Amino acid sequence: MGDKRGDNHSEVTDFILVGIRVQPEFHSLLFLLFLIVYGLVLLGNLSMIGIIVTDPRLNTPMYFFLGNLSVIDLSYCTVIVPKAMVNILSQKKTISFAGCVAQLFLYALFMVTEAFVLAAMAYDRFIAICNPLLYTVRMSRSLCIQLVAGSYLCGWVSSILQISVTFSMSFCASRVIDHFYCDSNPIEKISCSNTFLNKMVSLSLAVIIILPTIVVIVVSYMYIVSTVLKIRSSEGRKKAFSTCSSHLGVVSLLYGTVSFVYLTPPNNPELRKVASVCYILFTPMLNPLIYSLRNKDVKNAVQKVLWKKNILL
């Protein structure tokens, strides 16, 4: 079909989000699942942010990045989940055109930003283990702020590009999005425009933005493993690995769930929705848990808070 970019997309005032297809009698159960997990996301990430901000022992680059990671996880989950919960129980499963643009923009922004923050965390662990004597000099407060600000800038640029090409398409065929949030792939499917440019932009963003973050993480851990294996004592090796095991777990969880989402066959939209739930709900729920269970400093900070509460009671 010919390209009709910009001809009549302004006529669309809203979209219909199909959501996850389940029998009506399971709607309440699905809503309850979303509510419980979202509650745990709020509790875990807000607690992590609070502990990092209030405990002076956690005033280090690693926890500065971890605090920002919790903010990002909390943000992209909040961008999608409350609206999805409302639509589960609603007969009118609509989202305004502006709301859809905002949701896709924020989702893409936080998704790309998280990838860059995780790469910055990998670089931080590389410096801490491979160049410990230069750690305080290399990982200065100003550099940490610049890395986080740069991560948000990259997320902002990629989001602008993504929504520019996505919402410049014409939607003359349908306004029904077969998903529980506004994502670029299901939006492309309801367009009657040529989607070649969209696919090229998505591929370019993956190559130019996402691929370098993966390279930084892989190369950093190659050097980390090489350095740790040179440590003679088993206790020293164990201690060195423990400082980066939490980060490695979070990276594996993120890229594992994202790969599940985007490698799911396009002819199986329901499986793709389940994969999206894993990424949007369960990843931000598990990240604070991984750092709490695997990190001695965080566990000590939590115990300190609980001990103070017991004293006050």
Side-chain angles (χ1 to χ4, degrees):
M1 190 174 290
D3 191 351
K4 301 177 184 177
R5 286 181 182 273
D7 289 348
N8 64 352
H9 75 272
S10 59
E11 295 176 8
V12 177
T13 58
D14 61 9
F15 295 100
I16 298 171
L17 294 171
V18 172
I20 300 174
R21 288 189 174 92
V22 295
Q23 296 298 322
E25 56 267 26
F26 293 116
H27 283 173
S28 297
L29 187 61
L30 183 62
F31 176 85
L32 186 61
L33 173 65
F34 270 59
L35 180 63
I36 292 172
V37 178
Y38 183 57
L40 292 174
V41 170
L42 291 175
L43 178 63
N45 286 284
L46 288 174
S47 298
M48 183 66 72
I49 294 167
I51 289 168
I52 291 171
V53 170
T54 57
D55 195 322
R57 294 175 301 176
L58 302 183
N59 187 22
T60 64
M62 184 175 76
Y63 295 109
F64 174 75
F65 292 128
L66 179 56
N68 279 278
L69 186 67
S70 289
V71 171
I72 293 166
D73 284 344
L74 190 60
S75 298
Y76 75 70
C77 190
T78 300
V79 165
I80 292 171
V81 175
K83 178 61 178 174
M85 290 169 61
V86 170
N87 284 351
I88 289 171
L89 299 181
S90 175
Q91 294 294 326
K92 188 181 179 183
K93 304 178 186 296
T94 58
I95 184 170
S96 67
F97 185 89
C100 193
V101 173
Q103 192 177 67
L104 178 58
F105 172 79
L106 292 171
Y107 170 68
L109 185 155
F110 291 121
M111 184 177 179
V112 173
T113 301
E114 181 165 38
F116 276 94
V117 169
L118 285 173
M121 292 174 77
Y123 176 73
D124 170 72
R125 292 299 84 204
F126 159 72
I127 297 297
I129 293 174
C130 299
N131 297 282
L133 298 178
L134 297 176
Y135 182 71
T136 54
V137 177
R138 293 275 186 90
M139 297 306 297
S140 64
R141 185 72 174 181
S142 60
L143 176 62
C144 293
I145 293 172
Q146 289 170 16
L147 288 172
V148 171
S151 298
Y152 275 98
L153 178 62
C154 291
W156 184 82
V157 170
S158 66
S159 296
I160 289 291
L161 290 173
Q162 188 71 68
I163 66 168
S164 295
V165 296
T166 300
F167 292 101
S168 64
M169 297 186 297
S170 301
F171 302 103
C172 49
S174 173
R175 61 188 185 95
V176 178
I177 300 174
D178 191 10
H179 215 315
F180 62 91
Y181 67 96
C182 291
D183 194 14
S184 55
N185 286 332
I187 292 174
E188 285 178 13
K189 291 180 180 179
I190 65 171
S191 171
C192 53
S193 299
N194 190 329
T195 60
F196 176 77
L197 178 60
N198 297 64
K199 296 183 187 303
M200 288 298 100
V201 168
S202 297
L203 180 62
S204 299
L205 288 174
V207 172
I208 297 171
I209 295 179
I210 303 301
L211 186 60
T213 63
I214 297 175
V215 170
V216 169
I217 292 170
V218 171
V219 172
S220 294
Y221 274 101
M222 286 174 63
Y223 277 101
I224 288 170
V225 171
S226 176
T227 301
V228 171
L229 291 178
K230 292 176 183 177
I231 299 174
R232 294 185 177 181
S233 68
S234 59
E235 187 64 29
R237 287 196 298 269
K238 183 180 178 182
K239 184 177 179 181
F241 272 128
S242 68
T243 63
C244 55
S245 61
S246 298
H247 174 260
L248 196 57
V250 169
V251 168
S252 302
L253 180 64
L254 173 71
Y255 283 102
T257 52
V258 170
S259 299
F260 183 25
V261 172
Y262 290 99
L263 295 179
T264 301
N267 60 351
N268 194 339
E270 294 309 306
L271 181 59
R272 189 160 193 157
K273 292 173 193 176
V274 172
S276 296
V277 169
C278 293
Y279 168 66
I280 293 166
L281 269 174
F282 290 101
T283 298
M285 180 190 74
L286 292 173
N287 283 351
L289 190 62
I290 291 172
Y291 271 96
S292 298
L293 294 177
R294 301 285 298 175
N295 192 289
K296 188 176 180 180
D297 292 332
V298 174
K299 283 193 287 188
N300 289 339
V302 171
Q303 289 171 358
K304 182 181 176 182
V305 171
L306 294 175
W307 182 75
K308 281 184 177 181
K309 284 187 176 181
N310 287 333
I311 293 244
L312 292 174
L313 291 174

